[in-house]
Amino acid sequence: MSSKIEVRIENTESRTKKHRKISAAFVIENNSVNKVLTLLNSQQCKGTYVKGRCLHGYISIERNQYVVLIELTMNWRKHVKGYIRVLDHNGVPVLIMKYVNSKIRYVKGEKSLIGLIKLPIDITLGELYGKK
């Protein structure tokens, strides 16, 4: 039985290119990580910053899968802040972590799921620091 979870995928930057925001979603099943590239019922929406694109839609996941949602913002000094959320198949947050300048801090949830966020955060940081 699959369920739908509402997500937002964003890759925007300010007019002056001093600030940038990335939001990404990953589906994790049995230690395999798949980045969500397409959404069900996707719609263009307004992003945090002017340049770039932002999509709002749904993803379908099965009972034994988790969704990792990552939202990171980088300022002109290359400082990065954001949150990492792990959702179960019902869309309930089971783990919330905070990311500030290469340090990940536990906020709340099941500590046994911390290993799930390692690869998704590396992929997202590569996009954030890398060129388009």
Side-chain angles (χ1 to χ4, degrees):
M1 184 173 115
S2 65
S3 60
K4 291 183 180 179
I5 295 179
E6 186 176 358
V7 297
R8 179 178 168 148
I9 297 176
E10 180 176 358
N11 189 353
T12 60
E13 65 183 3
S14 64
R15 284 188 186 101
T16 60
K17 298 186 180 184
K18 290 184 178 180
H19 293 85
R20 187 166 179 205
K21 179 157 186 179
I22 286 188
S23 297
F26 297 87
V27 176
I28 297 180
E29 177 182 17
N30 297 333
N31 295 329
S32 68
V33 176
N34 296 323
K35 184 172 183 181
V36 175
L37 299 175
T38 58
L39 299 174
L40 303 172
N41 300 332
S42 65
Q43 299 175 1
Q44 202 85 26
C45 61
K46 185 175 180 185
T48 305
Y49 300 110
V50 176
K51 296 180 182 178
R53 61 178 228 157
C54 182
L55 291 175
H56 177 268
Y58 298 90
I59 57 174
S60 178
I61 64 166
E62 299 295 325
R63 188 170 201 82
N64 58 348
Q65 295 177 333
Y66 290 100
V67 176
V68 177
L69 300 175
I70 299 175
E71 295 181 12
L72 298 175
T73 304
M74 182 170 65
N75 69 6
W76 60 280
R77 291 183 177 170
K78 307 292 185 215
H79 292 174
V80 179
K81 291 183 181 181
Y83 283 94
I84 304 156
R85 292 177 179 85
V86 179
L87 307 175
D88 65 357
H89 65 280
N90 293 325
V92 177
V94 291
L95 176 67
I96 299 175
M97 304 288 283
K98 185 170 183 163
Y99 182 90
V100 178
N101 294 333
S102 302
K103 294 180 183 158
I104 299 175
R105 190 184 79 211
Y106 170 80
V107 176
K108 70 177 182 176
E110 297 178 32
K111 290 187 178 182
S112 62
L113 298 174
I114 290 176
L116 294 178
I117 66 169
K118 196 169 210 119
L119 188 57
I121 194 74
D122 289 342
I123 293 170
T124 308
L125 286 172
E127 288 180 18
L128 190 63
Y129 285 115
K131 296 293 179 185
K132 291 182 183 177

